[in-house]
Coordinates of all heavy atoms in Angstrom, one line a residue:
M1 N 44.4 99.4 115.4 CA 45.2 98.8 116.5 C 45.9 97.5 116.0 O 47.1 97.3 116.2 CB 44.3 98.5 117.7 CG 45.1 98.2 119.0 SD 46.0 99.7 119.5 CE 46.5 99.1 121.1
F2 N 45.1 96.7 115.3 CA 45.6 95.4 114.8 C 46.7 95.6 113.7 O 47.7 94.9 113.7 CB 44.4 94.6 114.2 CG 44.8 93.2 113.7 CD1 45.2 92.3 114.7 CD2 44.9 92.9 112.4 CE1 45.5 91.0 114.3 CE2 45.2 91.6 112.0 CZ 45.6 90.7 112.9
V3 N 46.5 96.7 113.0 CA 47.5 97.1 112.0 C 48.8 97.5 112.6 O 49.9 97.1 112.1 CB 46.9 98.2 111.1 CG1 48.0 98.7 110.1 CG2 45.7 97.8 110.3
L4 N 48.7 98.2 113.7 CA 50.0 98.6 114.5 C 50.7 97.4 114.9 O 52.0 97.3 114.8 CB 49.6 99.5 115.6 CG 49.2 100.9 115.3 CD1 48.8 101.6 116.6 CD2 50.3 101.7 114.6
I5 N 50.0 96.4 115.4 CA 50.7 95.1 115.9 C 51.4 94.4 114.7 O 52.6 94.0 114.8 CB 49.7 94.2 116.5 CG1 49.2 94.8 117.9 CG2 50.3 92.8 116.8 CD1 48.0 94.1 118.4
I6 N 50.7 94.4 113.6 CA 51.3 93.8 112.4 C 52.6 94.5 112.0 O 53.6 93.9 111.7 CB 50.3 93.7 111.2 CG1 49.2 92.6 111.6 CG2 51.0 93.3 109.9 CD1 48.1 92.6 110.6
I7 N 52.5 95.9 112.0 CA 53.6 96.7 111.6 C 54.8 96.5 112.6 O 55.9 96.4 112.2 CB 53.2 98.2 111.5 CG1 52.3 98.4 110.3 CG2 54.5 99.1 111.4 CD1 51.7 99.8 110.3
G8 N 54.4 96.4 113.9 CA 55.4 96.2 114.9 C 56.1 94.9 114.7 O 57.4 94.8 114.8
V9 N 55.4 93.8 114.5 CA 56.0 92.5 114.2 C 56.9 92.5 113.0 O 58.0 91.9 113.0 CB 54.8 91.4 114.1 CG1 55.4 90.1 113.6 CG2 54.1 91.2 115.5
F10 N 56.4 93.2 112.0 CA 57.1 93.3 110.7 C 58.5 94.0 110.9 O 59.5 93.5 110.5 CB 56.3 94.0 109.7 CG 56.9 94.2 108.4 CD1 57.1 93.1 107.5 CD2 57.4 95.5 108.0 CE1 57.8 93.3 106.3 CE2 58.1 95.6 106.7 CZ 58.2 94.5 105.9
I11 N 58.4 95.1 111.7 CA 59.6 95.9 112.0 C 60.6 95.0 112.9 O 61.8 95.0 112.6 CB 59.3 97.2 112.7 CG1 58.6 98.1 111.7 CG2 60.6 97.9 113.2 CD1 58.0 99.4 112.2
A12 N 60.0 94.3 113.8 CA 60.8 93.5 114.7 C 61.5 92.4 113.9 O 62.7 92.0 114.1 CB 60.0 92.9 115.8
G13 N 60.7 91.9 112.9 CA 61.3 90.8 112.0 C 62.4 91.4 111.2 O 63.5 90.7 111.0
L14 N 62.2 92.6 110.7 CA 63.3 93.2 109.8 C 64.5 93.5 110.7 O 65.6 93.2 110.2 CB 62.7 94.6 109.3 CG 62.0 94.6 108.0 CD1 61.6 96.0 107.6 CD2 62.8 94.0 106.9
I15 N 64.4 93.9 111.9 CA 65.5 94.2 112.8 C 66.2 92.8 113.1 O 67.5 92.8 113.0 CB 65.1 94.9 114.1 CG1 64.6 96.3 113.8 CG2 66.2 94.9 115.1 CD1 63.9 97.0 114.9
A16 N 65.4 91.8 113.4 CA 66.0 90.5 113.7 C 66.8 90.0 112.5 O 67.9 89.5 112.6 CB 65.0 89.5 114.1
Y17 N 66.2 90.2 111.3 CA 66.9 89.7 110.0 C 68.2 90.5 109.8 O 69.2 89.9 109.4 CB 65.9 89.9 108.9 CG 66.5 89.7 107.5 CD1 66.7 88.3 107.1 CD2 67.0 90.7 106.7 CE1 67.3 88.1 105.9 CE2 67.6 90.5 105.5 CZ 67.7 89.2 105.1 OH 68.3 89.0 103.9
W18 N 68.1 91.8 110.0 CA 69.2 92.7 109.8 C 70.4 92.3 110.8 O 71.6 92.2 110.3 CB 68.8 94.2 110.1 CG 70.0 95.1 109.9 CD1 70.6 95.5 108.7 CD2 70.7 95.8 110.9 NE1 71.6 96.4 109.0 CE2 71.7 96.6 110.3 CE3 70.7 95.7 112.3 CZ2 72.6 97.3 111.1 CZ3 71.5 96.5 113.1 CH2 72.5 97.3 112.5
I19 N 70.1 92.0 112.1 CA 71.1 91.6 113.0 C 71.7 90.3 112.6 O 72.9 90.1 112.6 CB 70.4 91.5 114.5 CG1 70.1 92.9 115.0 CG2 71.4 90.9 115.4 CD1 69.3 92.9 116.3
L20 N 70.8 89.3 112.2 CA 71.3 88.0 111.8 C 72.2 88.2 110.6 O 73.3 87.6 110.5 CB 70.1 87.1 111.4 CG 70.4 85.7 111.4 CD1 70.8 85.1 112.8 CD2 69.1 84.9 110.9
H21 N 71.8 89.1 109.6 CA 72.6 89.3 108.4 C 73.9 89.9 108.7 O 75.0 89.5 108.2 CB 71.8 90.3 107.5 CG 72.5 90.5 106.2 ND1 73.3 91.7 106.1 CD2 72.6 89.9 105.1 CE1 73.7 91.6 104.8 NE2 73.4 90.6 104.2
E22 N 73.9 90.9 109.7 CA 75.2 91.5 110.1 C 76.1 90.5 110.8 O 77.3 90.5 110.5 CB 75.0 92.6 111.1 CG 74.4 93.9 110.4 CD 75.3 94.5 109.4 OE1 76.4 94.8 109.9 OE2 74.9 94.8 108.3
V23 N 75.6 89.6 111.6 CA 76.4 88.6 112.3 C 77.0 87.6 111.3 O 78.2 87.3 111.3 CB 75.5 87.9 113.4 CG1 76.2 86.6 113.9 CG2 75.2 88.8 114.5
I24 N 76.1 87.2 110.4 CA 76.6 86.2 109.4 C 77.7 86.9 108.5 O 78.7 86.3 108.2 CB 75.4 85.6 108.5 CG1 74.6 84.8 109.4 CG2 75.9 84.9 107.3 CD1 73.3 84.4 108.8
Q25 N 77.4 88.1 108.1 CA 78.3 88.8 107.2 C 79.7 89.1 107.9 O 80.8 88.9 107.3 CB 77.7 90.2 106.8 CG 78.4 90.8 105.6 CD 78.3 90.0 104.4 OE1 77.3 89.5 104.0 NE2 79.4 89.8 103.7
S26 N 79.6 89.4 109.2 CA 80.9 89.7 109.9 C 81.7 88.3 110.1 O 82.9 88.3 110.1 CB 80.6 90.3 111.3 OG 80.0 89.4 112.2
A27 N 80.9 87.2 110.3 CA 81.5 85.9 110.4 C 82.3 85.6 109.1 O 83.3 85.0 109.1 CB 80.5 84.9 110.8
I28 N 81.5 85.8 108.0 CA 82.2 85.6 106.7 C 83.4 86.4 106.5 O 84.4 85.9 106.1 CB 81.1 85.8 105.6 CG1 80.0 84.7 105.7 CG2 81.8 85.8 104.2 CD1 78.8 85.0 104.8
D29 N 83.3 87.7 106.8 CA 84.4 88.6 106.7 C 85.6 88.1 107.6 O 86.7 88.2 107.1 CB 84.0 90.0 107.1 CG 83.1 90.7 106.1 OD1 83.1 90.1 105.0 OD2 82.5 91.8 106.4
N30 N 85.3 87.7 108.8 CA 86.3 87.2 109.7 C 87.0 86.0 109.1 O 88.3 85.9 109.2 CB 85.8 86.9 111.1 CG 85.5 88.2 111.9 OD1 86.0 89.2 111.6 ND2 84.6 88.1 112.9
S31 N 86.3 85.1 108.6 CA 86.9 83.9 108.1 C 87.7 84.2 106.8 O 88.8 83.7 106.6 CB 85.8 82.8 107.8 OG 85.0 83.3 106.8
A32 N 87.2 85.2 106.0 CA 88.0 85.6 104.8 C 89.2 86.3 105.2 O 90.3 86.1 104.6 CB 87.0 86.5 104.0
M33 N 89.1 87.1 106.3 CA 90.3 87.8 106.8 C 91.3 86.8 107.4 O 92.5 86.9 107.1 CB 89.9 88.8 107.8 CG 91.0 89.8 108.2 SD 90.5 90.8 109.6 CE 89.2 91.8 108.9
A34 N 90.8 85.9 108.1 CA 91.7 84.8 108.7 C 92.4 84.0 107.6 O 93.5 83.7 107.7 CB 90.9 83.9 109.6
R35 N 91.6 83.8 106.5 CA 92.2 83.0 105.4 C 93.3 83.9 104.7 O 94.3 83.4 104.3 CB 91.1 82.6 104.4 CG 91.5 81.6 103.4 CD 90.3 81.0 102.7 NE 89.5 81.9 102.0 CZ 88.2 82.2 102.4 NH1 87.6 81.5 103.3 NH2 87.5 83.1 101.7
N36 N 93.0 85.2 104.5 CA 94.0 86.0 103.9 C 95.3 86.1 104.8 O 96.4 86.1 104.3 CB 93.4 87.5 103.8 CG 92.5 87.5 102.6 OD1 92.5 86.6 101.7 ND2 91.6 88.5 102.7
I37 N 95.1 86.2 106.1 CA 96.2 86.3 107.0 C 97.0 85.0 107.0 O 98.2 85.0 106.9 CB 95.8 86.6 108.5 CG1 95.2 88.0 108.6 CG2 96.9 86.3 109.5 CD1 94.5 88.3 109.9
Q38 N 96.3 83.9 106.9 CA 96.9 82.5 106.8 C 97.7 82.5 105.5 O 98.9 82.0 105.5 CB 95.9 81.5 106.8 CG 96.4 80.1 106.9 CD 97.2 79.8 108.1 OE1 96.8 80.2 109.2 NE2 98.4 79.2 108.0
E39 N 97.1 83.0 104.4 CA 97.9 83.0 103.1 C 99.1 83.8 103.2 O 100.2 83.4 102.6 CB 96.9 83.5 102.0 CG 95.9 82.5 101.6 CD 95.0 83.0 100.5 OE1 95.2 84.1 100.0 OE2 94.0 82.3 100.1
I40 N 99.0 85.0 103.8 CA 100.2 85.9 103.9 C 101.2 85.2 104.8 O 102.4 85.2 104.4 CB 99.8 87.2 104.5 CG1 98.9 88.0 103.5 CG2 101.0 88.1 104.9 CD1 98.2 89.2 104.1
R41 N 100.8 84.6 105.9 CA 101.7 83.9 106.8 C 102.4 82.7 106.0 O 103.6 82.6 106.1 CB 101.0 83.4 108.0 CG 101.9 82.8 109.1 CD 101.1 82.3 110.2 NE 100.2 83.3 110.9 CZ 99.1 82.9 111.5 NH1 98.7 81.7 111.6 NH2 98.4 83.9 112.1
D42 N 101.6 82.0 105.3 CA 102.2 80.9 104.5 C 103.2 81.4 103.5 O 104.2 80.8 103.3 CB 101.1 80.1 103.8 CG 100.2 79.3 104.7 OD1 100.7 79.1 105.9 OD2 99.2 78.8 104.4
H43 N 102.8 82.5 102.9 CA 103.7 83.1 101.9 C 105.1 83.5 102.5 O 106.1 83.2 102.0 CB 103.1 84.3 101.2 CG 103.9 84.9 100.2 ND1 104.2 84.4 98.9 CD2 104.5 86.1 100.2 CE1 105.0 85.1 98.3 NE2 105.2 86.2 99.0
L44 N 105.0 84.2 103.7 CA 106.2 84.7 104.4 C 107.0 83.5 104.8 O 108.2 83.4 104.6 CB 105.8 85.6 105.5 CG 105.2 86.9 105.2 CD1 104.7 87.6 106.4 CD2 106.2 87.8 104.4
V45 N 106.4 82.5 105.5 CA 107.1 81.4 106.0 C 107.6 80.6 104.8 O 108.8 80.1 104.9 CB 106.2 80.5 106.9 CG1 106.8 79.2 107.2 CG2 105.7 81.3 108.1
G46 N 106.8 80.4 103.8 CA 107.3 79.7 102.6 C 108.5 80.3 102.0 O 109.4 79.6 101.6
S47 N 108.5 81.6 101.8 CA 109.6 82.3 101.1 C 110.8 82.2 102.1 O 112.0 82.1 101.6 CB 109.3 83.7 100.8 OG 109.0 84.4 102.0
K48 N 110.6 82.3 103.4 CA 111.7 82.1 104.3 C 112.3 80.7 104.2 O 113.5 80.5 104.3 CB 111.3 82.4 105.7 CG 111.4 83.9 106.1 CD 110.9 84.1 107.5 CE 110.9 85.6 107.9 NZ 110.4 85.8 109.2
A49 N 111.5 79.7 104.1 CA 111.9 78.3 104.1 C 112.6 78.0 102.7 O 113.4 77.2 102.7 CB 110.7 77.4 104.3
E50 N 112.1 78.7 101.7 CA 112.7 78.5 100.4 C 114.1 79.1 100.2 O 115.0 78.5 99.6 CB 111.9 79.1 99.3 CG 110.6 78.3 99.0 CD 109.7 79.1 98.1 OE1 110.1 80.0 97.4 OE2 108.5 78.7 98.0
E51 N 114.4 80.2 101.0 CA 115.6 80.9 100.8 C 116.9 80.0 101.1 O 117.8 79.9 100.2 CB 115.7 82.1 101.6 CG 116.7 83.1 101.2 CD 116.7 84.4 102.0 OE1 115.6 84.7 102.5 OE2 117.6 85.1 102.0
P52 N 116.9 79.3 102.3 CA 118.1 78.5 102.5 C 118.1 77.2 101.6 O 119.2 76.8 101.3 CB 117.9 78.1 104.0 CG 116.5 78.3 104.3 CD 116.0 79.4 103.4
A53 N 117.0 76.9 101.1 CA 116.9 75.7 100.2 C 117.6 75.9 98.9 O 118.2 75.0 98.2 CB 115.5 75.2 100.0
V54 N 117.7 77.2 98.5 CA 118.3 77.6 97.2 C 119.8 77.4 97.3 O 120.4 76.8 96.4 CB 118.0 79.1 96.9 CG1 118.8 79.5 95.7 CG2 116.5 79.2 96.6
S55 N 120.4 77.8 98.4 CA 121.9 77.7 98.6 C 122.3 76.7 99.5 O 123.5 76.4 99.7 CB 122.4 79.1 99.0 OG 121.8 79.5 100.2
G56 N 121.3 76.0 100.1 CA 121.7 74.9 101.1 C 121.7 75.5 102.5 O 121.8 76.7 102.7
D57 N 121.5 74.6 103.5 CA 121.3 75.0 104.9 C 122.6 75.7 105.4 O 122.5 76.7 106.2 CB 121.0 73.9 105.8 CG 119.6 73.4 105.6 OD1 118.8 74.3 105.0 OD2 119.2 72.3 106.0
D58 N 123.8 75.2 105.0 CA 125.0 75.7 105.6 C 125.8 76.6 104.6 O 126.9 77.0 104.9 CB 125.9 74.5 106.0 CG 125.2 73.6 107.1 OD1 124.6 74.2 108.0 OD2 125.3 72.4 107.0
Y59 N 125.1 76.9 103.5 CA 125.8 77.7 102.5 C 125.1 79.0 102.2 O 123.9 79.1 102.4 CB 126.0 76.8 101.2 CG 126.9 75.7 101.3 CD1 126.4 74.5 101.8 CD2 128.3 75.8 101.0 CE1 127.3 73.4 101.9 CE2 129.1 74.8 101.2 CZ 128.7 73.5 101.6 OH 129.5 72.5 101.8
E60 N 125.8 80.0 101.7 CA 125.2 81.2 101.2 C 126.0 81.7 100.1 O 127.1 81.2 99.8 CB 125.1 82.2 102.4 CG 126.4 82.6 102.9 CD 126.3 83.6 104.1 OE1 125.1 83.8 104.5 OE2 127.3 84.0 104.6
N61 N 125.5 82.6 99.3 CA 126.2 83.2 98.2 C 127.0 84.4 98.7 O 126.6 85.2 99.4 CB 125.2 83.6 97.1 CG 124.6 82.4 96.4 OD1 123.5 82.0 96.8 ND2 125.3 81.8 95.5
C62 N 128.3 84.4 98.2 CA 129.1 85.6 98.5 C 128.5 86.8 97.9 O 128.1 86.8 96.7 CB 130.5 85.3 97.8 SG 131.5 86.8 97.8
P63 N 128.4 87.9 98.7 CA 127.8 89.2 98.2 C 128.7 89.8 97.1 O 128.2 90.6 96.3 CB 127.7 90.0 99.4 CG 128.7 89.5 100.4 CD 128.8 88.0 100.1
G64 N 130.0 89.4 97.1 CA 130.9 90.0 96.1 C 130.8 89.4 94.7 O 130.7 90.0 93.7
C65 N 130.9 88.0 94.7 CA 131.0 87.3 93.5 C 130.0 86.2 93.3 O 130.0 85.5 92.3 CB 132.4 86.7 93.4 SG 132.7 85.4 94.6
D66 N 129.0 86.0 94.2 CA 128.0 85.0 94.2 C 128.5 83.6 94.3 O 127.8 82.7 94.0 CB 127.2 85.2 92.9 CG 125.8 85.8 93.2 OD1 125.6 86.1 94.4 OD2 125.0 85.9 92.3
F67 N 129.8 83.5 94.6 CA 130.3 82.1 94.8 C 129.7 81.5 96.1 O 129.4 82.2 97.0 CB 131.8 82.2 95.0 CG 132.6 80.9 95.1 CD1 132.8 80.1 94.0 CD2 133.0 80.4 96.4 CE1 133.5 78.9 94.1 CE2 133.6 79.1 96.5 CZ 133.9 78.4 95.3
L68 N 129.4 80.2 96.0 CA 128.8 79.5 97.1 C 129.8 79.3 98.2 O 130.8 78.6 98.0 CB 128.1 78.2 96.6 CG 127.1 77.6 97.5 CD1 125.8 78.5 97.6 CD2 126.6 76.2 97.0
V69 N 129.6 79.9 99.3 CA 130.5 79.8 100.5 C 129.8 79.2 101.7 O 128.6 79.4 101.8 CB 131.1 81.1 100.8 CG1 132.0 81.6 99.6 CG2 130.1 82.2 101.2
K70 N 130.5 78.6 102.6 CA 130.0 78.1 103.8 C 129.6 79.3 104.7 O 130.4 80.3 104.7 CB 130.9 77.2 104.6 CG 131.0 75.8 104.0 CD 131.9 74.9 104.8 CE 132.1 73.5 104.2 NZ 133.0 72.7 105.1
K71 N 128.6 79.2 105.5 CA 128.2 80.3 106.4 C 129.3 80.5 107.4 O 129.3 81.6 108.1 CB 126.9 80.1 107.0 CG 125.7 80.3 106.0 CD 124.3 80.1 106.7 CE 123.2 80.5 105.7 NZ 121.9 80.3 106.3
T72 N 130.1 79.5 107.7 CA 131.1 79.6 108.7 C 132.4 80.1 108.2 O 133.3 80.4 108.9 CB 131.4 78.2 109.3 OG1 131.7 77.2 108.3 CG2 130.2 77.7 110.2
D73 N 132.5 80.3 106.9 CA 133.7 80.8 106.2 C 133.8 82.3 106.6 O 132.9 83.1 106.5 CB 133.6 80.7 104.7 CG 133.9 79.2 104.3 OD1 134.3 78.4 105.2 OD2 133.7 78.9 103.1
R74 N 135.1 82.7 106.9 CA 135.3 84.1 107.2 C 135.5 84.9 105.9 O 135.2 86.1 105.9 CB 136.6 84.2 108.1 CG 136.4 83.5 109.5 CD 137.7 83.6 110.3 NE 138.0 84.9 110.7 CZ 138.9 85.2 111.6 NH1 139.5 84.2 112.2 NH2 139.2 86.4 111.9
V75 N 136.2 84.3 105.0 CA 136.4 85.0 103.7 C 135.9 84.1 102.6 O 135.9 82.9 102.6 CB 137.9 85.3 103.5 CG1 138.4 86.3 104.5 CG2 138.8 84.0 103.5
C76 N 135.6 84.7 101.4 CA 135.1 84.0 100.3 C 136.3 83.3 99.6 O 137.4 83.9 99.5 CB 134.5 85.0 99.2 SG 134.2 84.2 97.7
A77 N 136.2 82.0 99.3 CA 137.2 81.2 98.7 C 137.5 81.6 97.3 O 138.6 81.3 96.8 CB 136.8 79.7 98.8
S78 N 136.6 82.3 96.7 CA 136.8 82.7 95.3 C 137.4 84.0 95.1 O 138.4 84.2 94.4 CB 135.4 82.7 94.6 OG 135.6 83.1 93.2
C79 N 136.8 85.1 95.8 CA 137.3 86.4 95.6 C 138.0 87.0 96.9 O 138.6 88.1 96.8 CB 136.2 87.3 95.2 SG 135.0 87.7 96.5
G80 N 138.0 86.2 98.0 CA 138.7 86.7 99.2 C 138.0 87.8 100.0 O 138.5 88.4 100.9
L81 N 136.7 88.1 99.6 CA 136.0 89.1 100.3 C 135.7 88.6 101.8 O 135.4 87.5 102.0 CB 134.6 89.4 99.6 CG 133.8 90.4 100.2 CD1 134.3 91.8 99.8 CD2 132.4 90.2 99.7
A82 N 135.9 89.5 102.7 CA 135.6 89.2 104.1 C 134.0 89.2 104.2 O 133.3 90.1 104.0 CB 136.1 90.3 105.0
L83 N 133.6 88.0 104.6 CA 132.1 87.7 104.6 C 131.4 88.3 105.9 O 130.3 88.7 105.9 CB 131.9 86.2 104.5 CG 132.4 85.6 103.2 CD1 132.2 84.1 103.2 CD2 131.6 86.2 102.0
R84 N 132.2 88.2 107.0 CA 131.6 88.7 108.2 C 132.7 89.0 109.2 O 133.9 88.5 109.0 CB 130.7 87.6 108.9 CG 131.3 86.3 109.1 CD 130.3 85.3 109.7 NE 129.1 85.2 108.9 CZ 129.0 84.5 107.8 NH1 130.0 83.8 107.4 NH2 127.8 84.4 107.2
D85 N 132.4 89.9 110.1 CA 133.4 90.3 111.1 C 133.3 89.3 112.3 O 132.2 89.0 112.8 CB 133.1 91.7 111.6 CG 133.4 92.7 110.5 OD1 134.3 92.5 109.7 OD2 132.6 93.6 110.4
W86 N 134.4 88.8 112.7 CA 134.5 87.9 113.9 C 135.3 88.7 115.0 O 136.0 89.6 114.7 CB 135.2 86.6 113.5 CG 134.5 85.8 112.5 CD1 134.5 86.0 111.1 CD2 133.6 84.7 112.7 NE1 133.7 85.1 110.5 CE2 133.1 84.3 111.4 CE3 133.2 84.0 113.8 CZ2 132.2 83.2 111.3 CZ3 132.4 83.0 113.7 CH2 131.9 82.6 112.4
D87 N 135.1 88.2 116.2 CA 135.7 88.9 117.3 C 137.2 88.5 117.2 O 137.6 87.4 117.0 CB 135.2 88.3 118.6 CG 133.7 88.8 118.8 OD1 133.4 89.9 118.3 OD2 132.9 88.1 119.5
Ligands
LIG1 ZN1 133.4 86.1 96.6

């Protein structure tokens, strides 16, 4: 009878340890996942923020000749390509 109580306590301890382990492990996984998502988000936002910095806020490269043109320009000043359709 005494042995059964000891075994019962031992099993209860194992279950408690396993639950605690699972909770801690899932918490670690969640923080790792959150960190990965944050890194991906930083990468996406960073690459988006870098893109206009290359050609300037109001400038972009002509798709035809890579000449730096204003985003408000209708045609490329270098090759005359229509950059966008206006009404
Ligand atoms: Zn051009």
Side-chain angles (χ1 to χ4, degrees):
M1 196 62 169
F2 186 69
V3 173
L4 284 176
I5 292 170
I6 289 174
I7 291 170
V9 169
F10 179 73
I11 290 170
L14 272 181
I15 292 169
Y17 172 80
W18 178 75
I19 290 169
L20 198 67
H21 180 265
E22 287 293 308
V23 168
I24 291 170
Q25 195 63 47
S26 71
I28 291 169
D29 287 347
N30 284 341
S31 63
M33 190 187 294
R35 193 163 58 243
N36 286 339
I37 291 169
Q38 186 65 43
E39 283 178 6
I40 293 167
R41 189 184 300 153
D42 286 348
H43 179 72
L44 289 174
V45 171
S47 61
K48 275 181 183 175
E50 282 169 21
E51 196 175 339
V54 173
S55 54
D57 285 345
D58 299 317
Y59 292 88
E60 62 186 1
N61 290 95
C62 169
C65 66
D66 255 3
F67 185 78
L68 200 62
V69 294
K70 283 184 182 178
K71 284 184 175 179
T72 53
D73 284 350
R74 297 175 67 168
V75 295
C76 173
S78 176
C79 69
L81 183 77
L83 299 172
R84 54 180 55 81
D85 294 324
W86 297 80
D87 292 330

